[in-house]
Amino acid sequence: MTVIAGGFPTDLFSVVTIGEAHRPAPSWERMFGWPAEGATAVPIDVRSRGERNVWAARLDRAVREADARVLLIADGIGCAASAWWARLSPADDVGRIAGALLFAPQPEAGDLFASPQARLPFPSLVIQPGADVDVGATIAGWGSRLVVGERPRDRGARLVAWRQAQRLFLRLTQQMVEHDVDRGRAITGWR
């Protein structure tokens, strides 16, 4: 298994990150000091449907060009954008997604990323930094599991938080494997 700094296994999945283009640091970096090496970034800066469609085409390309199944990691408005993309993009592209880690979603994503209320077609885990923002309805619509936690303030606490995040990632990975097995059984009729 190939591992980058911080212990993240890079040979299991290709990582595609979706963060706001003009935000100084995404939540996964602020919360866990997570290194960004090995990830393909598809930053989001969308103000119109045309820009949204161009962004979606860039995400389609990043997913198609990935070396392995993709772990989507999104932050803020990128969470709603990822859900919109997953529900409305070609099945071949969406089928390459193993799962998603969605950090600090914004419940008010606006009309640009409004999409049908349906579970995401892959396992997802929402990491909410604090309980001050209600994302319950959003998570229910996505079919995501929720983890609420406080941001660590110092380096030692960030290391502990990063280890907790790794455990969460491994749990999500297990969900992804179970999801793939269930999909395979449904396709082949094997029980």
Side-chain angles (χ1 to χ4, degrees):
M1 177 185 311
T2 306
V3 177
I4 61 173
F8 189 80
T10 59
D11 59 350
L12 296 176
F13 306 103
S14 291
V15 176
V16 174
T17 62
I18 301 167
E20 296 175 52
H22 303 294
R23 201 171 192 178
S27 291
W28 59 83
E29 186 177 312
R30 289 191 319 272
M31 290 173 70
F32 304 117
W34 190 351
E37 297 94 13
T40 300
V42 184
I44 187 164
D45 183 15
V46 173
R47 292 181 192 82
S48 70
R49 289 183 176 181
E51 289 176 346
R52 176 194 66 190
N53 295 341
V54 169
W55 171 83
R58 288 195 325 259
L59 182 54
D60 287 338
R61 185 170 13 130
V63 168
R64 275 187 230 120
E65 291 176 355
D67 294 335
R69 296 215 40 228
V70 173
L71 175 64
L72 278 181
I73 302 176
D75 180 45
I77 194 75
C79 298
S82 299
W84 171 84
W85 174 86
R87 291 175 176 150
L88 300 172
S89 285
D92 288 348
D93 292 346
V94 175
R96 296 214 45 187
I97 305 300
L101 296 174
L102 306 170
F103 286 81
Q106 294 177 1
E108 302 296 324
D111 291 338
L112 281 176
F113 297 110
S115 61
Q117 285 296 315
R119 293 176 67 89
L120 295 176
F122 43 75
S124 59
L125 186 65
V126 170
I127 296 103
Q128 187 64 27
D132 56 337
V133 177
D134 183 13
V135 294
T138 302
I139 292 167
W142 292 345
S144 301
R145 297 183 72 186
L146 173 65
V147 176
V148 177
E150 295 299 321
R151 280 191 189 115
R153 304 219 186 283
D154 63 31
R155 181 178 155 90
R158 280 194 350 205
L159 183 58
V160 169
W162 174 239
R163 288 186 182 134
Q164 291 172 341
Q166 288 175 302
R167 284 192 291 273
L168 288 173
F169 170 75
L170 292 174
R171 282 192 358 218
L172 181 66
T173 302
Q174 180 60 35
Q175 289 177 349
M176 289 181 222
V177 170
E178 290 168 5
H179 184 260
D180 287 348
V181 168
D182 290 345
R183 280 180 30 190
R185 286 179 177 160
I187 291 169
T188 64
W190 179 72
R191 293 281 166 196

